[in-house]
Amino acid sequence: MPKVVHTVAELHKILLPLWRKGESVGFVPTMGALHEGHVSLMRLSRTGGNAMTVVSVFVNPLQFAPGEDYDEYPRDLQGDVKVCRDAGVDVVFAPSVAEMYPRGFVTWADQDKLTEKLCGGNRPGHFRGVLTVVLKLFNIVRPTIAYFGQKDYQQSVIIQRMVTDLNLDLKVQVCPIVREPDGLAMSSRNVYLGPKHRTEALVLHQALERARELVAGGEKSVKKLHGEVKRIIGTAKSAKIDYVAIVHPETLEDVNDVSGRTVIAVAVRFGKTRLIDNVIVE
Ligand code: PAF
């Protein structure tokens, strides 16, 4: 069983001997409701030569805008601990909101430009909350390497940028998207989908796969790719597109044509559930 700790002091007691010896700490930050996507990150940490793997489970209120799903977000610490046990995780850090944001907390991490694009446009303040909690978690865990999933592509870019800009002493590893057998990207929010929306949500992967095929076949036109992705997503009656973006992998700026490594990212609502997915094309 992993050790489950709720305070920074308890966690530091465990980590201090490793820090002193300069041993490698692998870290997987999560909001819980763990699924195979998270497990793939834990496995990479386990097999990546780390002396210890720490998973944080914390539903971060700072990254939810008013009216978003903070209250409904699935929480099941016992279930999460079992998943961590099966994945060979050493420590689960599950702090309370008061532990992370004690009375008087007023300091934030933020970033220009990158946070305004894609999901930033639809979720104001979201990335400020993400950056703040991730910076705090990095300072608390002091990992050698932190693992993030490619599904939250923009998040991974923004975090890597923060690590570079603020000279944080750790490596970030971004790991491939894990999918259900039918192609739906794994997400803690998939549990919100009723049967109709669950079936309709398959259009995301279908649209991105079609775009990948078109690029592999030589298509460079952003307009055509955009049109095709939107058309396929539109075949799902209840799909409401937040964005379909075809962007540079680091700057997240729109590209004029697909002439190098490019990210095609989508955010779509099915009823109240907002799903994101992406594909990297060359
Ligand atoms: O990707 C997530 O689950 C969250 O945004 C993160 C990185 C754990 C910060 O709360």
Side-chain angles (χ1 to χ4, degrees):
M1 264 301 193
K3 281 192 186 128
V4 182
V5 294
H6 301 283
T7 66
V8 175
E10 287 171 288
L11 181 67
H12 282 188
K13 252 193 212 155
I14 298 171
L15 289 174
L16 202 62
L18 283 100
W19 293 334
R20 286 212 174 113
K21 283 192 253 160
E23 285 183 336
S24 176
V25 176
F27 177 42
V28 182
T30 81
M31 297 208 298
L34 301 176
H35 51 68
E36 273 304 308
H38 297 113
V39 170
S40 74
L41 306 181
M42 297 171 199
R43 284 208 194 101
L44 278 171
S45 175
R46 289 273 299 142
T47 56
N50 295 304
M52 190 172 274
T53 294
V54 178
V55 171
S56 64
V57 174
F58 178 62
V59 185
N60 173 33
L62 265 46
Q63 68 189 75
F64 292 79
E68 287 190 347
D69 56 343
Y70 175 67
D71 290 332
E72 297 86 56
Y73 200 85
R75 290 162 171 88
D76 173 18
L77 185 59
Q78 272 190 4
D80 290 340
V81 170
K82 281 192 196 132
V83 173
C84 289
R85 175 198 64 197
D86 295 346
V89 167
D90 302 290
V91 182
V92 175
F93 175 52
S96 65
V97 173
E99 179 73 5
M100 288 301 279
Y101 304 119
R103 253 175 110 83
F105 174 88
V106 286
T107 307
W108 296 71
D110 207 352
Q111 207 172 81
D112 291 337
K113 291 190 180 159
L114 292 174
T115 54
E116 289 152 22
K117 302 173 192 306
L118 309 181
C119 290
N122 305 101
R123 303 187 68 190
H126 168 68
F127 287 115
R128 186 180 186 237
V130 170
L131 284 166
T132 303
V133 79
V134 170
L135 182 56
K136 278 176 69 76
L137 289 167
F138 284 171
N139 284 331
I140 292 167
V141 179
R142 296 185 222 162
T144 316
I145 177 157
Y147 300 84
F148 292 88
Q150 186 200 306
K151 187 178 76 67
D152 295 289
Y153 186 81
Q154 183 177 15
Q155 169 171 284
S156 73
V157 171
I158 284 173
I159 288 167
Q160 288 177 96
R161 193 69 243 173
M162 172 172 75
V163 168
T164 305
D165 288 353
L166 300 184
N167 304 88
L168 302 184
D169 189 14
L170 73 140
K171 266 177 53 185
V172 169
Q173 189 168 331
V174 181
C175 311
I177 298 175
V178 178
R179 297 184 180 279
E180 301 284 357
D182 60 8
L184 183 69
M186 296 229 177
S187 162
S188 304
R189 290 191 166 96
N190 289 351
V191 297
Y192 299 151
L193 295 167
K196 177 174 149 242
H197 291 155
R198 172 67 184 74
T199 308
E200 287 192 328
L202 295 178
V203 292
L204 301 189
H205 182 54
Q206 285 160 5
L208 293 171
E209 271 307 295
R210 175 76 185 130
R212 191 212 293 274
E213 274 166 30
L214 287 171
V215 173
E219 185 57 72
K220 286 191 164 58
S221 160
V222 163
K223 201 172 161 210
K224 281 205 186 125
L225 293 167
H226 221 270
E228 189 60 358
V229 170
K230 279 192 160 167
R231 184 189 68 72
I232 295 173
I233 294 174
T235 60
K237 286 227 163 53
S238 43
K240 299 249 166 356
I241 296 178
D242 267 1
Y243 64 77
V244 170
I246 305 186
V247 297
H248 184 279
E250 281 156 34
T251 64
L252 305 180
E253 298 282 356
D254 290 336
V255 293
N256 296 324
D257 55 28
V258 179
S259 50
R261 210 170 135 80
T262 302
V263 178
I264 307 179
V266 298
V268 178
R269 290 172 200 269
F270 297 89
K272 284 191 179 152
T273 310
R274 183 177 181 279
L275 299 180
I276 54 174
D277 201 347
N278 66 79
V279 66
I280 302 175
V281 292
E282 303 280 345

